[in-house]
Every structure is written in structure tokens, then in C-alpha cells.
């Protein structure tokens, strides 16, 4: 019973306080106006900052450059994120890093401005050109899952190292695209998108909004 009385007293006190506040606000409507203006101003500042952040991110992405030696020093996970960022720089707004356990041969996926779906498998070599070359077995997973699992139009094996001649022949026979250290260096340090550096890329699915 005592708890019920305490709860009723608390509720009465809260209601009384709320009524007093409402009466005070009614007598001082300018407070409500100021509060609304303050809220609107805060919201406006937040939206402006968000827009500025987005614009700066776009500028940063458009100016992104890597020397291939920088890429050599990255952890393989950071290397995949760098490839994602380069695809984003080139206009692939949905570029994402998906590598990891169970990635089914895809480390980076992206859709270019022409509507083509890119599936990229990354092979990072700490020793660069002197590291273990990418061979035909490395291409088998990408070839088996790139189209069937990931619905890719352009399947790419990308490395900061080198690729064996057998792998080059296999890639040609299966319509896979290879990016070795030389192509990567030109792409990462330049301004041309990857699809301008590769041969026999599938035709656009749609007209680029950038053209």
C-alpha cells in the first residue's frame, strides 16, 4: 500500500511539474521559438558538415595515388582495401572489400560507371616482383566462382608481383584479366581507370554517366 501511495505521489508531482512547465512556456512563447531555431540550426550544421565530409572524401578519392613500393609495404588486407579505394577513385561508387575466410575467390567487387560487375582477386607479395609468382592454380578459384557465384562481367587476378607464362595462357583461354606489378604501378600512380589499361574488357552494359 505504501508503494502505491508513493507511486501516486510521484505521478502527481510529475504531472504537476509538466503542467507548470507548459503554463510557463505558454506565457513565454519566445523560449519555444528559440529552442526550435536552435534545433534547426544544429540540424543545419550537422547536414553541412556531413556534406562537406562527403565532398572532401570525393576530392580525396579522385586524387588518390599510390607508388607501387607503398603497396609492397602493406599488409595483404590493407592491400585489398587500397585496391577497393582505387576502384572507388575511378568511379565505382559501390566498390567494396569482401576478402577473407570463405570469400570464394573475390577480394574486391565493384560496378564500374558502364554497368560492368568487377570481381578482383588480390595476391599481395611482400617481395614484389621477386616474390612467388601467381600461377595457374591461383586462377582456378576465380575462374570457377567469378561468374557463377559473384555474377562478374570482368574477372581480374591482381598482384604487385609477377605472373607465370602458363597463367597468362590460361587466363586468355578463360577470358580472365591479369594485372601484374607493371600494370598495377601504372594504374595506382596514374589517373586512368583500370578498364582503360586492360585489353578485351567486355562492352559496357550502359552509357557512362560521366561521359
Amino acid at each position: 500500500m505504501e508503494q502505491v501511495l508513493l507511486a501516486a505521489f510521484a505521478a502527481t508531482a510529475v504531472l504537476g511539474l509538466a503542467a507548470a512547465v507548459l503554463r510557463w512556456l505558454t506565457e513565454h512563447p519566445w523560449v519555444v521559438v528559440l529552442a526550435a531555431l536552435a534545433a534547426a540550426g544544429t540540424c543545419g550544421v550537422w547536414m553541412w558538415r556531413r556534406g562537406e565530409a562527403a565532398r572532401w572524401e570525393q576530392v580525396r578519392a579522385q586524387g588518390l595515388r599510390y607508388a607501387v613500393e607503398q603497396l609492397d609495404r602493406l599488409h595483404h588486407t590493407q592491400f585489398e582495401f587500397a585496391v577497393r579505394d582505387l576502384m572507388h577513385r575511378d568511379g565505382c561508387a559501390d566498390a567494396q572489400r569482401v576478402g577473407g575466410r570463405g570469400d570464394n575467390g573475390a577480394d574486391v567487387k565493384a560496378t564500374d560507371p558502364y554497368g560492368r560487375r568487377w570481381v578482383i582477386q588480390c595476391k599481395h607479395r611482400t617481395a614484389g616482383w621477386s616474390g612467388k609468382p601467381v600461377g595457374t592454380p591461383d586462377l582456378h578459384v576465380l575462374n570457377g566462382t567469378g561468374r557463377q557465384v559473384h555474377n562478374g562481367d570482368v574477372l581480374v587476378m591482381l598482384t604487385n608481383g609477377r605472373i607465370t607464362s602458363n597463367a597468362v595462357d590460361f587466363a586468355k583461354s578463360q577470358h580472365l584479366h591479369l594485372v601484374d606489378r607493371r600494370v598495377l604501378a601504372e594504374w595506382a600512380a596514374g589517373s586512368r581507370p583500370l578498364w582503360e589499361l586492360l585489353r578485351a574488357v567486355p562492352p559496357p552494359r550502359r552509357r557512362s554517366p560521366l561521359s
Side-chain angles (χ1 to χ4, degrees):
M1 184 65 178
E2 184 176 335
Q3 291 180 344
V4 174
L5 291 175
L6 287 174
F9 176 78
T12 302
V14 170
L15 291 174
L17 180 60
V21 170
L22 288 174
R23 283 196 302 270
W24 189 85
L25 289 176
T26 302
E27 296 170 357
H28 304 84
W30 56 270
V31 175
V32 178
V33 174
L34 288 178
L37 290 174
T42 301
C43 182
V45 169
W46 179 80
M47 293 181 65
W48 177 81
R49 288 181 176 175
R50 184 177 181 182
E52 284 295 294
R55 282 189 286 273
W56 277 113
E57 172 61 22
Q58 185 176 14
V59 169
R60 185 201 67 78
Q62 289 175 344
L64 183 65
R65 301 287 186 277
Y66 286 106
V68 71
E69 292 78 13
Q70 288 178 279
L71 298 174
D72 292 341
R73 294 191 292 269
L74 297 178
H75 182 271
H76 70 86
T77 299
Q78 294 174 316
F79 182 66
E80 294 166 5
F81 278 114
V83 172
R84 178 206 63 182
D85 291 345
L86 287 167
M87 294 298 288
H88 187 271
R89 178 199 70 182
D90 292 345
C92 303
D94 66 345
Q96 59 178 323
R97 182 256 175 187
V98 294
R101 186 182 298 274
D103 58 22
N104 291 318
D107 295 313
V108 176
K109 295 198 287 188
T111 305
D112 68 27
Y114 300 94
R116 294 170 298 209
R117 187 67 172 162
W118 290 66
V119 177
I120 304 175
Q121 188 175 107
C122 301
K123 294 294 182 182
H124 183 262
R125 300 292 187 252
T126 304
W129 192 263
S130 301
K132 180 183 178 182
V134 174
T136 304
D138 295 310
L139 298 176
H140 288 165
V141 175
L142 175 65
N143 189 49
T145 63
R147 297 183 181 90
Q148 296 90 331
V149 176
H150 301 294
N151 298 314
D153 299 306
V154 188
L155 312 185
V156 180
M157 174 63 72
L158 182 149
T159 180
N160 63 321
R162 54 198 171 95
I163 299 172
T164 66
S165 58
N166 287 339
V168 171
D169 293 338
F170 179 79
K172 288 180 180 178
S173 70
Q174 301 300 313
H175 304 290
L176 306 177
H177 297 272
L178 303 177
V179 175
D180 63 8
R181 185 178 183 83
R182 290 168 295 189
V183 177
L184 176 63
E186 182 178 359
W187 177 45
S191 58
R192 297 175 64 192
L194 190 55
W195 45 90
E196 291 185 4
L197 302 176
L198 299 180
R199 297 180 179 179
V201 174
R205 285 178 174 266
R206 62 171 181 261
R207 183 178 180 181
S208 169
L210 304 179
S211 61

